[in-house]
C-alpha cells in the first residue's frame, strides 16, 4: 500500500443541490482550520476499542489481554492482529506463520499459551493465540525496558527485529523494514481506538468530495472502479477509492478495509469528506457492506446499487455503522500481506 505526496492546493466544493432535497453544503478552508485547532492529538490513559473494530467473537479477548502490560493496549493489539492476519484464525503464510497472530512454529513453541485453560496450546485457536500475542509483546517490552525512547515503539521494534537490535541501537534500529513496521502498527492503532476528544480533519477531504460530485448521475456498476473499459462507472467502494486517489491517498478496494484508514468520529462530529459505512451487523466492521462520502447536512454521495446512479443519500438509517476520517498514515498502514511472527 502506498500513499503519494499530497497536493498542496485544496479544492473548494461549492454549493451542491440534489433535486428536491434543497440542502446546501459549503466547504470552506476556514472550517477545517478551526476544526483542526479544536482537534486534539493522541489521547493518553486507557484506550478502548472503536465500535466494531474487532469481530465480536474476539473483542473480549482483545480487551482483556490488551491491558496485560503498559506497553500495549487493546487498540494496539487489535492493530497487530489485523496486520498479521486480518482477524483470520486459519491464516497461513508461505513462511509457515500460522493463525490469527501468525506465529511461526519456533516462536509458538517458546511463547504459546493455553489462554483458555482447556489443556492445550493451539496456534489455530484465537483463545490461545490472542493471549499468546499479548504475552509475547509484554515479554519483549520487559526485555527492552531500559532502552531509551518510547517503550511501545521499542517493543514493536523488538517484535520485528529482535530485542538485541533494539538494545544495540538504543531504540528503534535504523532498519527500513523495522521502522516501517513500527509506523504501520502505531498508525493502525489509531483506527482501532475509540476516539477521546476531537478527531483531526482530513486536509484532502474537500478534493475528494469535489471528485465525487463530478460523478453524480453516473450509473452504478458492481465491481466498477471507473476505468474507461467500465464506462467510468463505479460501485460504492470503487467511488470512494477513486475520490481519495484523486488527492493522492490510496485506499483499499473494499469497504470493510476502508474502515481502518483512519480514526472514527462520532455521528455528531462528522465533517465533509468522512467516509460513512453501513452494515447488517452493527457489532463487526468486517461485515460492512456499503460506504459513501459524507458531504454535510446528514447526506452522503454514494453509488448505491445496480439500477441506480451515484446520488445524494441520507446517512441516518438503521444500518448506519459509523465513520472514518481518512488519514495518509492510516491509509498507508493498511496491510497488503500478512507478515510472520
Amino acid at each position: 500500500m502506498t500513499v503519494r505526496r499530497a497536493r498542496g492546493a485544496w479544492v473548494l466544493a461549492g454549493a451542491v443541490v440534489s433535486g428536491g432535497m434543497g440542502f446546501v453544503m459549503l466547504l470552506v478552508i476556514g472550517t477545517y482550520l478551526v476544526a483542526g485547532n479544536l482537534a486534539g492529538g493522541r489521547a493518553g490513559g486507557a484506550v478502548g476499542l472503536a465500535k466494531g473494530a474487532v469481530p465480536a467473537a474476539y473483542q473480549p479477548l482483545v480487551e482483556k489481554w490488551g491491558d496485560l502490560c503498559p506497553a500495549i493496549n487493546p487498540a494496539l493489539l487489535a492493530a497487530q492482529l489485523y496486520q498479521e492476519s486480518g482477524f483470520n484464525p486459519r491464516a497461513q503464510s508461505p513462511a509457515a506463520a500460522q493463525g490469527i497472530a501468525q506465529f511461526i512454529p519456533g516462536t509458538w513453541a517458546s511463547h504459546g499459551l493455553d489462554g483458555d485453560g482447556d489443556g492445550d496450546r493451539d496456534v489455530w485457536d484465537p483463545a490461545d493465540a490472542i493471549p499468546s500475542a499479548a504475552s509475547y509483546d509484554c515479554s519483549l517490552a520487559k526485555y527492552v525496558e531500559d532502552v531509551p525512547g518510547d517503550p511501545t515503539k521499542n517493543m514493536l521494534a523488538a517484535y520485528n527485529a529482535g530485542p538485541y537490535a533494539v538494545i544495540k541501537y538504543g531504540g528503534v534500529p535504523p532498519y527500513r523494514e523495522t521502522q516501517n513496521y513500527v509506523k504501520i502498527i502505531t498508525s493502525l492503532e489509531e483506527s482501532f481506538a475509540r476516539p477521546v476528544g476531537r478527531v483531526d480533519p482530513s486536509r484532502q477531504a474537500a478534493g475528494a468530495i469535489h471528485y465525487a460530485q463530478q460523478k453524480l448521475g453516473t450509473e452504478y456498476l458492481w465491481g466498477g472502479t471507473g476505468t474507461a473499459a467500465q464506462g467510468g462507472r463505479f460501485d460504492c467502494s470503487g467511488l470512494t477509492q477513486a475520490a481519495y486517489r484523486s488527492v493522492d491517498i490510496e485506499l483499499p478496494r473494499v469497504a470493510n478495509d476502508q474502515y481502518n484508514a483512519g480514526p472514527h468520529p462520532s455521528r455528531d462530529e462528522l465533517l465533509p469528506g468522512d467516509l460513512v459505512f453501513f452494515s447488517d451487523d452493527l457489532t463487526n466492521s468486517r461485515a460492512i457492506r456499503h460506504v459513501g462520502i459524507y458531504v454535510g447536512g446528514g447526506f452522503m454521495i454514494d453509488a448505491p446499487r445496480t439500477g441506480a446512479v451515484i446520488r445524494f443519500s441520507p446517512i441516518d438509517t438503521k444500518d448506519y455503522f459509523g465513520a472514518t476520517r481518512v488519514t495518509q498514515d492510516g491509509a498507508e498502514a493498511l496491510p497488503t500481506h500478512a507478515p510472520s511472527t
Side-chain angles (χ1 to χ4, degrees), residues 31-41 196-201 269:
T31 301
Y32 284 90
L33 294 179
V34 170
N37 290 334
L38 292 174
V196 179
R198 298 291 296 268
V199 178
D200 288 330
E269 293 174 336

Side-chain angles (χ1 to χ4, degrees), residues 104-137:
I104 59 175
T107 307
W108 181 257
S110 300
H111 295 279
L113 301 179
D114 177 13
D116 57 3
D118 65 355
D120 69 353
R121 300 183 305 147
D122 185 357
V123 72
W124 303 107
D125 184 354
D128 290 339
I130 292 174
S132 298
S135 176
Y136 185 45
D137 281 343

Side-chain angles (χ1 to χ4, degrees), residues 1-133:
M1 191 69 62
T2 59
V3 177
R4 299 180 296 279
R5 181 179 62 84
R7 295 170 185 165
W10 283 32
V11 181
L12 290 183
V16 293
V17 180
S18 176
M21 293 181 184
F23 76 91
V24 176
M25 185 277 291
L26 293 175
L27 286 180
V28 181
I29 292 178
T31 301
Y32 284 90
L33 294 179
V34 170
N37 290 334
L38 292 174
R42 240 174 112 185
V47 178
L49 293 173
K51 174 187 175 184
V54 175
Y58 311 135
Q59 183 169 332
L61 286 166
V62 173
E63 289 178 332
K64 174 183 177 180
W65 291 92
D67 285 324
L68 185 61
C69 68
I72 64 174
N73 61 65
L76 186 84
L77 181 58
Q80 283 189 294
L81 297 172
Y82 176 70
Q83 166 72 9
E84 297 291 345
S85 70
F87 299 114
N88 178 6
R90 307 307 299 175
Q92 183 162 1
S93 80
Q98 300 172 331
I100 196 170
Q102 289 290 278
F103 278 97
I104 59 175
T107 307
W108 181 257
S110 300
H111 295 279
L113 301 179
D114 177 13
D116 57 3
D118 65 355
D120 69 353
R121 300 183 305 147
D122 185 357
V123 72
W124 303 107
D125 184 354
D128 290 339
I130 292 174
S132 298

Side-chain angles (χ1 to χ4, degrees), residues 175-230:
Y175 308 150
R176 178 175 296 179
E177 177 187 340
T178 301
Q179 291 179 347
N180 285 342
Y181 183 81
V182 171
K183 181 179 179 181
I184 284 169
I185 299 300
T186 53
S187 296
L188 280 175
E189 177 190 3
E190 187 178 16
S191 77
F192 283 92
R194 183 173 61 247
V196 179
R198 298 291 296 268
V199 178
D200 288 330
S202 167
R203 293 185 58 85
Q204 286 80 13
I209 291 177
H210 177 77
Y211 180 93
Q213 285 179 246
Q214 311 313 304
K215 306 303 176 183
L216 288 167
T218 302
E219 185 179 352
Y220 174 96
L221 176 67
W222 186 85
T225 57
T227 66
Q230 296 168 333

